[in-house]
Amino acid sequence: MRFTPVAWIAMALMLAVLTPAAAQTTHDHGQHPPPKPAKPSQPKPATQAKTAKPKPASAPTLHDHESMAHGDMGDRGQHAMPAFFGPYRMSREASGTSWQPDATPHQGLHAARGPWFLMLHGFADVISNHQGGRRGDDEIVGTNMLMGMASRAAGPGRIGLRTMLSAEPWTTKGKRGYALLLQTGETANGRDHLIDRQHPHDLFMELAASYSVSFGANSVFLYGGLPGEPALGPPAFMHRFSGVALPESPIAHHWLDSTHITFGVLTAGVVREALKFEASGFRGREPDQDRADIETGRLDSHAFRFSWNPKFEWSLQASYGRLDSPEQLSPETDVDRVTVSGAYHAGGAARPWQTLVAYGRNQLRPGPTLDAWLAESALSWNGRNLAFARVEAVEKNELFPEGDPRAEEIFQVTKVGGGYLRDVIARGPITAGIGTSVNISFVPEALESEYGGRPVSGMIFLRGVLR
């Protein structure tokens, strides 16, 4: 894959941001032994005792909920949910069975009801979307997600239940989703490919169950979903701290994490301390244009993923998948997909900062080999501010409709963007903020007549979060 100078410069800048963070040494992010019991204090004589004035209670902050999600079992964390797939922090687990750095803030509203641990998390965006250039569009759309989780001890192990729902079939432009330059993949009507648009997520994004048994620092687990997520790729973009604040999907989505909604998944995995190996059988076909139904079919595809969290701040993965007939409009084409990614999380609770670098390759059979690179980073401070950036370079062969002489021609495109989100309201577990993002699309000369050179796009969005 050949990179444009812009892509090389953008990647270099992103890595320059990552390198100083990776070089930092921290003394509190390794193993966390239980705290030593405090020595009992000697009571003061009654004549010297003073009555302390109670401090007024303050509303929970972002860091309160991070403390709970990280499993700190103080007054606030007594209901923190245990991990689903092994004897480690819940904060290691992301979408499906994927891993992220243990240091990642794992947001959610936690509770305990009898033997059950419960968690609820979600967000909703209202977006004023401007996509520039000749293929652009202006619209008001909404993206959203609601996730519920429950787990309890059962026999020698732990059972877990997960559901994730989205109203995007009704809050975007119906089956056409929302405008997004250079995005491709799936269909709106069962006849035409979506081009320069992001498809809406299905109403049912995940309905899954799991069972794990731990042996000291090791475990084995089973996971099944209709829909669910196979062991392929990094965590889905809406579950990565580095990407969750961006109001749009990456254009590398169908090279890295598009299988996060798969109608039929069965995964078995083995955890050995910081290592995990897992294998999945799943239905390779991507969701169709009917976004509110449950689809069925045989598990005709397979995937394997190796994950390694060598330190508290790091998470690495490499995966391979064979997808049988993933595209509804190209049923005779299979895809071999390879992904490699690394995520680094620094800054602690006061200034969380995560960067992800990922590579994906789709080998179409029959057809060409197409590569994609992605780097994204997000930095939060003061519990209310979050800055983010994303750089992508992707080889695309679906930028023209069927029948056009350029329909299967391969073009390398690059997208560079970033933005800022500010929380302005915080009431208990609910926050609301306003954000903006801007990106520039770089296309080869052969596409300038279609896109208008280097189109600039932007979004202004209102975000509400349950955490």
Side-chain angles (χ1 to χ4, degrees):
M1 178 176 183
R2 296 178 57 212
F3 286 102
T4 63
V6 172
W8 282 116
I9 293 171
M11 288 286 186
L13 289 173
M14 186 70 75
L15 290 175
V17 170
L18 173 62
T19 302
Q24 295 176 357
T25 58
T26 57
H27 303 286
D28 59 344
H29 285 172
Q31 299 296 324
H32 291 260
K36 296 180 180 179
K39 295 182 179 180
S41 58
Q42 297 295 328
K44 293 183 179 181
T47 56
Q48 299 178 1
K50 295 182 179 180
T51 304
K53 294 181 179 180
K55 295 182 179 180
S58 58
T61 66
L62 169 64
H63 310 313
D64 294 330
H65 300 289
E66 288 170 3
S67 175
M68 291 173 62
H70 277 174
D72 299 326
M73 302 301 287
D75 294 337
R76 294 178 307 226
Q78 57 184 326
H79 302 314
M81 177 176 287
F84 275 39
F85 307 115
Y88 45 73
R89 286 170 170 256
M90 180 65 180
S91 59
R92 181 182 295 186
E93 295 182 350
S95 61
T97 60
S98 65
W99 278 2
Q100 60 190 353
D102 294 67
T104 306
H106 193 92
Q107 299 171 352
L109 182 61
H110 293 245
R113 296 291 183 270
W116 289 94
F117 289 87
L118 309 174
M119 192 276 284
L120 188 65
H121 173 58
F123 74 88
D125 290 340
V126 178
I127 303 170
S128 175
N129 180 18
H130 167 74
Q131 297 294 301
R134 295 190 177 100
R135 288 193 177 188
D137 197 2
D138 294 280
E139 59 190 4
I140 303 293
V141 294
T143 58
N144 44 75
M145 178 271 289
L146 181 66
M147 182 177 186
M149 303 172 66
S151 76
R152 61 165 293 170
R158 174 163 295 277
I159 189 171
L161 304 174
R162 302 163 65 121
T163 182
M164 187 157 44
L165 308 173
S166 176
E168 288 182 16
W170 301 279
T171 59
T172 61
K173 295 290 185 178
K175 298 177 181 180
R176 298 178 63 236
Y178 60 89
L180 186 62
L181 289 188
L182 303 178
Q183 185 65 293
T184 57
E186 303 191 19
T187 178
N189 54 17
R191 300 184 302 275
D192 305 306
H193 286 285
L194 284 169
I195 302 174
D196 297 310
R197 298 195 71 85
Q198 167 64 34
H199 63 78
H201 288 110
D202 285 57
L203 168 62
F204 300 104
M205 300 173 69
E206 185 178 29
L207 296 171
S210 64
Y211 188 75
S212 66
V213 179
S214 297
F215 311 92
N218 310 316
S219 66
V220 295
F221 66 85
L222 288 173
Y223 165 93
L226 184 68
E229 179 179 329
L232 181 58
F237 68 92
M238 63 177 58
H239 294 272
R240 303 191 296 255
F241 183 86
S242 60
V244 68
L246 280 78
E248 62 189 52
S249 165
I251 61 172
H253 180 50
H254 286 266
W255 278 252
L256 296 173
D257 52 1
S258 62
T259 52
H260 75 108
I261 302 177
T262 297
F263 282 96
V265 178
L266 185 62
T267 299
V270 178
V271 175
R272 184 171 176 81
E273 296 182 347
L275 304 174
K276 173 167 63 77
F277 177 77
E278 52 194 326
S280 296
F282 63 99
R283 180 176 181 261
R285 179 61 58 86
E286 293 178 334
D288 63 19
Q289 67 275 13
D290 297 318
R291 300 287 173 177
D293 64 351
I294 297 288
E295 302 169 40
T296 59
R298 64 188 182 92
L299 307 186
D300 51 19
S301 304
H302 58 268
F304 306 93
R305 180 167 59 198
F306 176 78
S307 303
W308 182 31
N309 281 28
K311 292 188 177 181
F312 190 72
E313 301 90 351
W314 284 96
S315 186
L316 312 172
Q317 73 83 32
S319 55
Y320 164 80
R322 180 64 182 265
L323 286 72
D324 185 84
S325 185
E327 289 280 357
Q328 178 183 348
L329 302 183
S330 303
E332 72 288 349
T333 302
D334 299 332
V335 175
D336 287 350
R337 179 172 297 170
V338 175
T339 79
V340 180
S341 66
Y344 178 79
H345 193 97
R351 192 178 289 265
W353 179 20
Q354 187 175 108
T355 299
L356 173 87
V357 177
Y359 164 77
R361 164 169 286 188
N362 284 337
Q363 169 65 66
L364 279 61
R365 299 185 181 277
T369 298
L370 305 172
D371 293 339
W373 286 90
L374 175 146
E376 64 186 19
S377 191
L379 170 66
S380 176
W381 67 97
N382 296 337
R384 291 181 177 269
N385 304 281
L386 196 149
F388 50 85
R390 179 184 284 158
V391 180
E392 302 175 82
V394 187
E395 291 179 329
K396 297 255 180 178
N397 70 336
E398 295 181 329
L399 292 174
F400 291 91
E402 185 177 357
D404 190 290
R406 299 163 291 180
E408 297 184 3
E409 190 173 345
I410 299 172
F411 300 95
Q412 181 184 310
V413 296
T414 302
K415 200 167 190 178
V416 180
Y420 171 76
L421 173 64
R422 166 75 177 182
D423 284 344
V424 295
I425 299 174
R427 293 291 183 270
I430 299 175
T431 65
I434 183 169
T436 184
S437 68
V438 177
N439 59 66
I440 305 175
S441 299
F442 298 86
V443 299
E445 185 177 352
L447 290 179
E448 289 185 357
S449 60
E450 290 285 331
Y451 285 90
R454 299 176 180 177
V456 177
S457 302
M459 296 181 175
I460 298 174
F461 59 100
L462 301 176
R463 166 164 293 190
V465 179
L466 175 65
R467 57 186 176 194

